[in-house]
Amino acid sequence: MPTLPLSLAVITHNEADNIARCLDSVPFAAEKLVVDSGSDDATVAIAQAHGARVVQQDWLGFGAQRNFATTQCSHDWILVLDADEYLTPELAAELQQRLPQLMASDAPAAWLRRSTIYMGAPMRWYRPAVGERLARLYHRERARWTDARVHESLRFDGIAPTLRAPFNHVNNPTLVHKQLKVLRYSELKCRDWLERGKPVRMWQTPFVYALAFLKDYLFRLACLDGWRGFIIAHTAASYAAYKRLRYYEMRHNPESVARAAHILTHHGIDR
């Protein structure tokens, strides 16, 4: 298949189950770059076997890790995917058709739509899991990732087109994976809050849970996805509440920051 002057950039840590599918879904990328943060499974070997150049970099946080990956790419236009994401054939075909014109323009980036596979099947109604719009394709001199430890976003000025076909996200193969991710993401977010000196407002916690659940379950239509929708709304609301509980603990028992980091690292959750 003809290649285009595009770098696919993927950040990884122990993604042996996912990385091949991700890399193989972008056959037209002239470069496939994997920035790995010390995987102890077969991630690196599999990535190399599927045509990727692997660079090792200790974990910097999501935003900083993506910005580092940007500096390692050989091409100005970069497509970013997570290891558990992959292009659909429809999006791959659309990108091949539209990329030459996009690359010749002054556009800073392009929006892609993401569909989520949850508990083994696509979500049909839950709004964030059906056609969620994300900026994942960009010119590295016209866009930059925020430096947030978690929930980073791509920042740019100007108008960016939106592609029609979606890419897929295999969201947490089990609820166990989801809960481990909640622990990790909460810890990263709370460290950001701690650095900024965010006030502790524990009284908000029960309201945060209730409002987050109602937002996802009713207003974002998770209720139409049956029990899977209930579960996804509950886990999202629990995450919103747990972050505040953990931040309260960090502020009132600063020793817990180091102790939690130790136990999370020991179990391979933190990096």
Side-chain angles (χ1 to χ4, degrees), residues 8-21:
L8 168 65
V10 188
I11 58 176
T12 61
H13 180 78
N14 290 343
E15 293 286 358
D17 292 339
N18 297 314
I19 190 61
R21 179 183 57 205

Side-chain angles (χ1 to χ4, degrees), residues 143-183:
R144 188 179 189 279
W145 294 93
T146 58
D147 287 323
R149 285 190 175 95
V150 67
H151 303 315
E152 74 289 0
S153 60
L154 189 68
R155 298 294 173 85
F156 55 87
D157 295 319
I159 298 173
T162 301
L163 281 78
R164 293 183 297 275
F167 67 99
N168 284 336
H169 175 214
V170 182
N171 187 329
N172 300 303
T174 70
L175 282 176
V176 174
H177 290 80
K178 176 62 178 178
Q179 293 308 311
L180 293 175
K181 184 177 287 188
V182 164
L183 288 176

Side-chain angles (χ1 to χ4, degrees), residues 189-210:
K189 190 65 178 177
C190 288
R191 290 176 198 169
D192 280 346
W193 288 348
L194 200 62
E195 286 183 0
R196 299 203 311 264
K198 178 183 171 73
V200 176
R201 298 188 177 98
M202 273 294 291
W203 63 270
Q204 294 180 345
T205 302
F207 300 103
V208 164
Y209 177 90

